[in-house]
Amino acid sequence: MGIDSEHSKQKYKKLEVLAQTNLKITDLMKTEPNRIDNFVMREGPLRADFSKQRVCERTLNALKEYAASCGLEEYRAKLFSGEKINNSEGRAVLHMALRGVGGSKGVQEDVKAMRHRMKVFSNKIRSDGKYKAIVHIGIGGSDLGPRLVADAFSANAEMKLDLRFAENIDGASINDALDGLSPESTLIIVVSKSFTTQETRMNAEAAYNWLETDLGTNAGENFIAVTANRQGAIDFMIPDEQIFDFWDWVGGRYSVWSSVGLSLQIAFGPSLFDEFLKGASKMDLHFRDQPLHENLPVLMAIVGVWNRNFLNYSSLAVIPYSRNIRKFSAFLQQLEMESNGKYINREGAPAGITCPIIWGDEGTNGQHAFFQWLHQGTPGAPVDFIAVLKDSSGRPEHHAALLANCFAQSEALMVGKSTDQVLKEMGGGDNISAIARQKTFPGNRPSTTITLDDLTPFSLGHLIALYEHKVFVQGVMWNVNSFDQWGVELGKILASKILIEMQTGTKGKHDISTSKLIELFINSTKES
Ligand code: F6P
């Protein structure tokens, strides 16, 4: 729950009362004649339809009032002006500045200089012809964004170089990435904001050794680092001039817009990347300048808060009906859950109910896996359907079928199918009512449908920025710091300790289960 003012508490209580009325979405469709206007927003190439959500106009207004009572306007101003709203790390949050919006003059100049350097470098690599492949090494925010964008860009352009990714510490990840490549014509780009991440450092070392076996002392020429910790990269023996910086005010999960996107620029060309930034900046301007009640990220955020805090849904399924953005749900898992998956608020007190589980897979594949649960499981989950209107596969008949499935699923979730209807269809037979009930769809399950006119770098930038700002708004409403991630630290520390014990055979202090697992591993290495 948001800030602890009496005013805000009253607004929250009003919403709790409103949530007690069990509304039927299909009724709202009939009783609210302006629903298609009030619950649908278009911004640039993106249209978001919230009319299939289980929320009426009155509640929507109450949610807007609640969001305002949480100090959203003030927080939004602080965000764009570069105030240090990441209070646990004392950092500003300015990924929008990478798209030219917000931040001081100095910040904008740094960004411009970096973008220029990236462009010059990318154009040189593209025209040189020395490199045939790029291996992008990084994990979390240093991987998910670039991977998603690479797939999406390939809907618009041919990759000039073979772009591969290695993220996992599992040796199979770097093996797969390097498989069949020649060291001489491969550029390794190591991306790590902190330059301390175990997975990335281990994969970088493996890649360097692979280069070195072939290129000897020249191996370093094929090695680039992208980081906010220049000294860390220098200590890793990467020459100063081969390091691309970004800044501590860019969160890892918000970093694809920075030099973290270098491999994308090289593979697809700087102009596509520019379009991507422009698409995001259009959403930034909309979010910054529009009043709260006409603001798309705000609308999306309050609907999410309604589903989570008042209708008690613990997860949100995100289903892109577009193969080129099939990694969107994985990307959003980090964006949303690392940002707002917090049980303690900004002041150190319990935060109450916050971020739902984000999950999903591409449509139509998910229909043949977990959609059973979405339609008939208890309690199901709200869904964000994402569809692209224009075909990019060159197979229009497939595309029409893809979109028909997308539209049908949201309709089916909403309308359901009554037992009476099933009984009528069945006609008669043994045990008929038990079977009819199993074939019944409860319906009234909420969803949002987002359509992009076309999948372009611009529209993709627009879409990602929409979710980024939604996460910001929800963070304000839940009063959590959306820009730190302390929850990932404990496991990292324990893994380092356990690794030493596994390598040296020394016995650390653990519970009986963990001790046994370590022992099992040590014994397995003795057997082999
Ligand atoms: O462990 C979580 C995390 O810190 C993410 O926030 C981040 O995106 C990822 O690890 C990778 O971190 P880095 O870019 O510093 O290697």
Side-chain angles (χ1 to χ4, degrees), residues 139-142 192-194 197 252 334 338 485 488 492:
I139 195 164
S142 297
S192 175
K193 179 178 174 187
S194 60
T197 305
Q334 189 201 17
E338 201 167 71
Q485 57 284 319
V488 301
K492 286 185 192 172

Side-chain angles (χ1 to χ4, degrees), residues 94-332:
L94 275 172
H95 45 275
M96 312 80 60
L98 301 165
R99 293 116 49 158
V101 183
S104 64
K105 203 163 160 254
V107 161
Q108 280 304 335
E109 274 164 11
D110 287 349
V111 170
K112 263 192 204 139
M114 178 50 58
R115 279 176 66 176
H116 178 70
R117 187 173 164 218
M118 283 169 74
K119 248 181 218 172
V120 172
F121 183 76
S122 307
N123 284 333
K124 183 173 171 300
I125 300 278
R126 285 168 69 79
S127 57
D128 261 5
K130 172 182 169 190
Y131 293 109
K132 303 276 176 279
I134 301 170
V135 175
H136 175 118
I137 297 176
I139 195 164
S142 297
D143 167 73
L144 292 161
R147 229 180 241 265
L148 162 72
V149 175
D151 276 357
F153 277 13
S154 59
N156 293 82
E158 287 276 307
M159 268 198 283
K160 188 146 182 182
L161 289 90
D162 182 3
L163 175 56
R164 303 198 184 175
F165 293 89
E167 82 296 357
N168 201 327
I169 202 157
D170 185 330
S173 176
I174 189 73
N175 286 351
D176 286 351
L178 298 176
D179 188 39
L181 299 181
S182 128
E184 200 175 355
S185 58
T186 301
L187 182 66
I188 305 287
I189 303 186
V190 181
V191 182
S192 175
K193 179 178 174 187
S194 60
F195 229 80
T196 57
T197 305
Q198 186 194 35
E199 291 91 334
T200 303
R201 289 179 73 94
M202 219 178 233
N203 281 332
E205 250 172 60
Y208 189 86
N209 294 339
W210 174 80
L211 288 177
E212 207 179 24
T213 25
D214 231 56
L215 308 178
T217 49
N218 293 334
E221 283 174 20
N222 293 26
F223 217 80
I224 298 289
V226 176
T227 186
N229 174 13
R230 177 167 273 265
Q231 192 54 48
I234 292 172
D235 295 345
F236 204 80
M237 309 303 280
I238 300 175
D240 218 21
E241 65 283 4
Q242 282 168 231
I243 301 171
F244 285 79
D245 308 87
F246 61 107
W247 304 274
D248 72 354
W249 43 261
V250 183
R253 49 198 176 271
Y254 301 87
S255 65
V256 64
W257 322 95
S258 71
S259 45
V260 168
L262 183 65
S263 46
L264 298 167
Q265 282 217 12
I266 301 172
F268 294 97
S271 60
L272 252 64
F273 200 78
D274 280 351
E275 284 303 303
F276 177 56
L277 296 176
K278 271 187 207 151
S281 90
K282 185 160 167 41
M283 186 57 76
D284 293 332
L285 295 175
H286 167 85
F287 175 57
R288 189 192 66 184
D289 299 338
Q290 290 308 305
L292 299 187
H293 61 276
E294 286 166 17
N295 197 304
L296 182 49
V298 174
L299 186 54
M300 195 179 203
I302 60 178
V303 165
V305 167
W306 175 249
N307 284 333
R308 178 73 186 106
N309 295 60
F310 300 96
L311 299 188
N312 299 318
Y313 284 112
S314 56
S315 78
L316 168 70
V318 180
I319 318 289
Y321 277 71
S322 165
R323 192 171 186 80
N324 289 100
I325 49 169
R326 67 184 176 281
K327 298 194 179 109
F328 196 60
S329 352
F331 171 81
L332 277 191

